[in-house]
Amino acid sequence: SSNYYFIEGTTTISSTAPKPFLIGGTLLSSSIVGDCPFLWLHQIYPQQNSTQPLFITTSNSLASLSAVVDTVLPVVTIRSGSRVSGDKTNSYPIIFTFTISELSNFSRSAFTVTNCDITLSNLNSTTSTIFNFFCYPLLFSDVVVTVVPNSIIDKNFNRNSNSTIFTLTYDPVAPTVSTFAATDGRLNGSTVSLTTATFSVTFSERLANVLDITVLNNSQNCNVSRFTVVRQDLVTFQCTSGNGRVVVLFKSGSLLDAAGNANLDSPRFIYT
C-alpha cells in the first residue's frame, strides 16, 4: 500500500494541469512542472480501508489510471476445534488453527506462546491462509497463544495492527466425588428402617453435566426424585427404595467437567 499515488502527463494546450476525475480517492495537489510541453502532476490519496478500485482520469482524457488500492490490514483469527478463548481442555497436544484473512508472510517470531512447546505446520507457506499449531502443555495451567502486532504482512505490505490472543486452560484431571452423605445420618454400609433418604453430594470441581439426573440411572432399588443443583459442584436428591439392598451409584464416566474429563471410579452409597 502507498500513502499516495502520482499520475502525470503532458499537454501543449494549457498552462494548468487538467482537472482529474476520481473514484475512490482524494486529490491532494496538482501542479505544472517545466516548460512547454507542460508536464502536469497530480498527487492522489487513496480511500483508506477499502478494496474498491481507485480510478483516475483527466478532464481532457489525456491520461487515465485504474488500480486496486489495498489499504486493508490482514486479520488473524485463532481457533481450537469448537472451543473458544477462555475454555478448558484436556487435549494433548492442543491443536490450534489460525486463519489469516488474506495471503500474507510471517515468521515464527510472529507468535508468542505461554506454557507449551509448540510446532507449526506450513510455517512459511505462501499458498495458504490456514495454519496449525500443535501445542504440548507443560503445566496444568493456562496456555496462551499471541499473534504479535505488525508481524503479519500481506503482499502490499499492510500489517496486522492488533495483537490476537487465545487462551485455553489445560486441565487433564478427572472429577471425583468429595463427599457422599445421607442427611439423616445413615452410614454407608448400614442397615436402616426408613425407605426414604435425602443425599448431599459434593464434587471436586464444577461439572459440565451437573443438571443431568441420568448420572444416577445405574442406581439399584432407588427411585430418584427432588434432584436439586445447589451449585455446579453440589447436588441433593431423594432416594425412595423398597425392601432389600439399596445402591446409589454414580457410574464411571458419568460425571464430566468443563475440560471433558470424566470420573474414573464409581462412587456409591450402599445400605439395607
Side-chain angles (χ1 to χ4, degrees):
S1 62
S2 300
N3 291 330
Y4 49 79
Y5 281 79
F6 288 108
I7 180 172
E8 63 181 11
T10 60
T11 177
T12 59
I13 60 174
S14 175
S15 60
T16 60
K19 182 178 180 181
F21 174 76
L22 301 177
I23 298 176
T26 302
L27 177 65
L28 295 182
S29 64
S30 296
S31 61
I32 291 290
V33 181
D35 299 325
C36 184
F38 300 103
L39 172 65
W40 49 265
L41 187 66
H42 295 309
Q43 186 179 11
I44 308 298
Y45 188 73
Q47 180 177 333
Q48 294 297 290
N49 301 320
S50 173
T51 57
Q52 296 299 315
L54 167 64
F55 183 75
I56 309 168
T57 186
T58 60
S59 58
N60 58 7
S61 300
L62 288 176
S64 64
L65 169 66
S66 180
V68 174
V69 178
D70 177 14
T71 58
V72 178
L73 308 180
V75 176
V76 181
T77 57
I78 304 176
R79 295 286 184 270
S80 182
S82 61
R83 301 190 183 279
V84 298
S85 185
D87 280 353
K88 293 184 177 183
T89 183
N90 62 353
S91 298
Y92 189 91
I94 303 172
I95 301 176
F96 291 99
T97 299
F98 72 94
T99 303
I100 306 176
S101 58
E102 57 183 307
L103 195 65
S104 301
N105 292 316
F106 63 93
S107 67
R108 173 63 181 82
S109 61
F111 305 90
T112 62
V113 294
T114 302
N115 188 33
C116 74
D117 287 332
I118 191 167
T119 60
L120 277 71
S121 66
N122 303 325
L123 176 59
N124 294 312
S125 173
T126 58
T127 59
S128 176
T129 58
I130 300 176
F131 305 84
N132 291 323
F133 290 89
F134 296 90
C135 168
Y136 297 84
L138 304 173
L139 301 171
F140 299 172
S141 184
D142 287 349
V143 173
V144 183
V145 179
T146 303
V147 180
V148 179
N150 300 313
S151 62
I152 309 297
I153 309 170
D154 71 12
K155 63 181 179 181
N156 291 311
F157 303 102
N158 298 298
R159 297 171 180 263
N160 62 312
S161 61
N162 299 319
S163 62
T164 303
I165 301 174
F166 195 99
T167 302
L168 289 178
T169 300
Y170 177 58
D171 173 19
V173 180
T176 61
V177 173
S178 301
T179 61
F180 198 162
T183 59
D184 64 0
R186 71 182 65 191
L187 300 177
N188 200 344
S190 63
T191 299
V192 296
S193 58
L194 298 176
T195 58
T196 299
T198 299
F199 289 91
S200 175
V201 182
T202 304
F203 306 105
S204 59
E205 59 181 302
R206 296 162 66 89
L207 298 182
N209 67 335
V210 70
L211 295 175
D212 189 358
I213 195 173
T214 61
V215 298
L216 292 163
N217 273 356
N218 291 279
S219 296
Q220 302 169 20
N221 192 19
C222 174
N223 181 23
V224 178
S225 61
R226 298 186 180 180
F227 187 87
T228 303
V229 177
V230 181
R231 300 188 307 264
Q232 281 189 284
D233 62 350
L234 173 61
V235 299
T236 62
F237 58 90
Q238 192 174 86
C239 173
T240 303
S241 62
N243 294 326
R245 186 170 185 258
V246 179
V247 179
V248 185
L249 170 68
F250 291 92
K251 185 180 179 181
S252 174
S254 64
L255 306 175
L256 299 176
D257 67 13
N261 301 297
N263 61 307
L264 302 176
D265 57 353
S266 300
R268 64 196 65 200
F269 196 104
I270 302 173
Y271 59 95
T272 303

